[in-house]
């Protein structure tokens, strides 16, 4: 289990590195390079638009790789998704800017971001299911939380590389070639990830399935459509929280508040490190008290904290900004530490790779794709304190709270059971 959990963590860390490095670049530099004819705010919105395309692609990746995972096994999903995400990320670092090839530059950027999202849409389902289906039922929350630590590690890696570059290069050097380096580094990480995953064995639960679903998506829509919509709505707040902190606030702090890139990245990274460290501990609690109670508590905390968070951000004081981000990340981890165990337990084994991943990634469209765009537009209409952003995030948290309230508890149900609770 330890080797499997470590390989799953490393793989998700590498793939989320690829995804997050684009978000950081979108917040800092892609607007002027690929949309130079736009105003600064419009250029940021356009860059966030290409960022959002990755989220739109993720449910499609869930369908594609979910079909493979439910028909042919979880392990092939891990290899295919890693190759697709890593290759498209390296290619982003090679795209000429608008000044060189004109409108073809943002078009290429958009296409590669779509491929990135397609690969990541398959990654989560494969990594989580391979771990969850190997884990003993009484410790499933703990072992399944290791892939959930991967996004925090990937985010710190991505932003650590950007932070090092911005600290050592001039603005002109970073704009000319420095921003490309984190994308090129994805190639090295992809090779490492393939090596780590080469020794993984197939899920025993998948090997027990005698009659795999012929068209998993069709079965999910027919038998679990309500469940997919509820899980997507429930997870929306997690994505909204994470990308409000890691993407929108980075752009807002540097462009509107005049905070240096180094300070903003440091504050955000510190909060994400705490989030990653807390994930296994909260997951262990989920094995004792259940998944759903923690999800409800996390949503409630998020609803209470969003207005204080934007108030602390608007001070432009590093310690206060960090405290605002930390509160948001703690709320996030209370929910998402147990999601890797919770979602697979909601679906029967024959369609689990498709159902869990589609629900998870549809939440990303609602929360991750829209939040930076909506928050940027709302902040532009407000004053020094972007209260509109706080109100928007509060509404999202309450919406997700309602969806979680309609979902069942699953902890006593073995993941090997064919029966599934559909809420």
């Amino acid at each position: 289990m330890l080797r499997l959990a470590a390989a799953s963590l490393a793989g998700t860390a590498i793939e989320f590195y690829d995804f997050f490095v684009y978000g950081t670049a979108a917040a800092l530099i892609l607007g002027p390079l690929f949309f130079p004819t736009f105003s600064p705010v419009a250029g940021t919105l356009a860059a966030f638009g290409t960022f959002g395309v990755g989220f739109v692609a993720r449910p499609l990746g869930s369908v594609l790789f979910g079909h493979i995972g439910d028909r042919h096994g979880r392990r092939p999903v891990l290899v295919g998704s890693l190759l697709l995400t890593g290759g498209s990320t390296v290619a982003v670092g090679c795209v000429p800017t608008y000044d060189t090839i004109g409108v073809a530059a943002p078009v290429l950027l958009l296409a590669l971001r779509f491929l990135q999202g397609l690969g990541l849409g398959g990654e989560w389902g494969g990594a989580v299911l391979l771990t969850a289906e190997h884990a003993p039922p009484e410790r499933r929350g703990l072992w399944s939380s290791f892939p959930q630590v991967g996004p925090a590690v990937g985010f710190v890696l991505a932003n650590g590389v950007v932070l090092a570059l911005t600290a050592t290069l001039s603005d002109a050097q970073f704009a000319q070639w420095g921003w490309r380096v984190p994308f090129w580094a994805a190639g090295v990480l992809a090779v490492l990830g393939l090596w780590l995953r080469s020794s993984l064995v197939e899920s025993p639960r998948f090997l027990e399935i005698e009659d795999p679903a012929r068209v998993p998506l069709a079965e999910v829509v027919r038998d679990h459509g309500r469940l997919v919509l509820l899980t997507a709505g429930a997870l929306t707040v997690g994505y909204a929280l994470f990308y409000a902190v890691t993407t929108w606030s980075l752009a807002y702090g540097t462009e509107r508040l005049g905070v240096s890139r180094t300070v903003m990245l440091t504050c955000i990274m510190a909060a994400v490190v705490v989030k990653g460290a807390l994930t296994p501990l909260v997951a262990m609690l989920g094995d004792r008290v259940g998944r759903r109670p923690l999800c409800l508590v996390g949503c409630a905390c998020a609803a209470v904290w969003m207005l204080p968070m934007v108030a602390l951000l608007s001070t432009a004081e590093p310690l206060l900004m960090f405290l605002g981000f930390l509160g948001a990340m703690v709320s996030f981890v209370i929910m998402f530490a147990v999601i890797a165990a919770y979602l697979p337990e909601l679906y029967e084994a024959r369609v689990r790779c498709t159902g869990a991943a589609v629900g998870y990634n549809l939440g990303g469209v609602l929360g991750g794709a829209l939040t930076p765009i909506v928050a940027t537009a709302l902040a532009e209409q407000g004053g020094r304190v972007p209260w509109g952003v706080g109100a928007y995030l509060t509404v999202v948290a309450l919406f997700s709270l309602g969806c979680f309230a309609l979902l069942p508890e699953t902890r006593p149900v073995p993941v090997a059971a064919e029966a599934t609770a559909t809420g």
Side-chain angles (χ1 to χ4, degrees), residues 58-71 212-226 228-229 347-359 361-362:
R58 282 172 64 168
L60 300 178
S62 300
V63 172
L64 171 64
F65 286 102
H67 184 90
I68 295 170
D70 286 326
R71 290 285 300 166
R214 291 180 58 84
V215 185
L217 179 63
E219 288 195 25
V220 168
V221 172
R222 183 185 68 231
D223 300 331
H224 310 291
R226 178 175 180 269
V228 169
L229 294 177
Y347 294 87
E348 57 183 310
R350 57 187 275 118
V351 295
R352 184 173 290 143
C353 196
T354 300
V358 169
N361 287 299
L362 279 176

Side-chain angles (χ1 to χ4, degrees), residues 181-258:
V181 174
F183 292 95
W184 294 337
V188 178
L189 293 175
V191 172
L192 174 62
L194 290 172
W195 175 75
L196 286 170
R197 290 181 164 180
S198 63
S199 62
L200 295 181
V201 296
E202 185 54 77
S203 157
R205 184 66 195 99
F206 173 78
L207 296 175
E208 293 172 2
I209 299 173
E210 297 180 355
D211 182 28
R214 291 180 58 84
V215 185
L217 179 63
E219 288 195 25
V220 168
V221 172
R222 183 185 68 231
D223 300 331
H224 310 291
R226 178 175 180 269
L227 181 59
V228 169
L229 294 177
L230 282 176
T231 52
L235 299 180
T236 298
V237 65
Y239 284 100
L241 276 180
F242 192 86
Y243 289 100
V245 169
T246 61
T247 302
W248 167 74
S249 66
L250 179 59
Y252 183 80
T254 54
E255 294 174 6
R256 290 286 299 275
L257 303 179

Side-chain angles (χ1 to χ4, degrees), residues 11-227:
T12 53
I14 290 166
E15 291 217 43
F16 275 92
Y17 166 92
D18 297 350
F19 202 73
F20 290 147
V21 78
Y22 189 100
T24 303
L28 294 178
I29 197 68
L30 295 187
L33 293 179
F34 289 88
F35 305 96
T37 60
F38 292 16
S39 70
V41 172
T44 300
L45 283 169
F48 282 156
T50 62
F51 174 73
V53 165
F55 287 97
V56 174
R58 282 172 64 168
L60 300 178
S62 300
V63 172
L64 171 64
F65 286 102
H67 184 90
I68 295 170
D70 286 326
R71 290 285 300 166
H72 306 290
R74 322 310 193 196
R75 191 172 177 271
V77 171
L78 301 182
V79 176
S81 63
L82 185 59
L83 286 172
L84 181 58
T85 308
S88 56
T89 304
V90 173
V92 169
C94 301
V95 175
T97 62
Y98 185 94
D99 288 343
T100 304
I101 60 172
V103 73
V107 170
L108 285 173
L109 199 65
L110 197 69
L112 292 171
R113 179 60 176 174
F114 182 86
L115 293 177
Q116 247 192 350
L118 206 65
L120 193 63
E123 162 63 25
W124 186 87
V128 163
L129 288 192
L130 201 62
T131 308
E133 291 181 339
H134 273 91
E138 69 277 6
R139 290 288 181 268
R140 187 175 299 124
L142 171 62
W143 289 115
S144 300
S145 72
F146 279 80
Q148 292 295 84
V149 177
V153 176
F155 179 84
V156 172
L157 280 175
N159 286 271
V161 172
V162 174
L163 183 61
L165 289 167
T166 57
T168 55
L169 300 177
S170 67
D171 288 346
Q173 290 173 320
F174 184 75
Q176 185 176 14
W177 58 268
W179 68 272
R180 299 182 184 274
V181 174
F183 292 95
W184 294 337
V188 178
L189 293 175
V191 172
L192 174 62
L194 290 172
W195 175 75
L196 286 170
R197 290 181 164 180
S198 63
S199 62
L200 295 181
V201 296
E202 185 54 77
S203 157
R205 184 66 195 99
F206 173 78
L207 296 175
E208 293 172 2
I209 299 173
E210 297 180 355
D211 182 28
R214 291 180 58 84
V215 185
L217 179 63
E219 288 195 25
V220 168
V221 172
R222 183 185 68 231
D223 300 331
H224 310 291
R226 178 175 180 269
L227 181 59

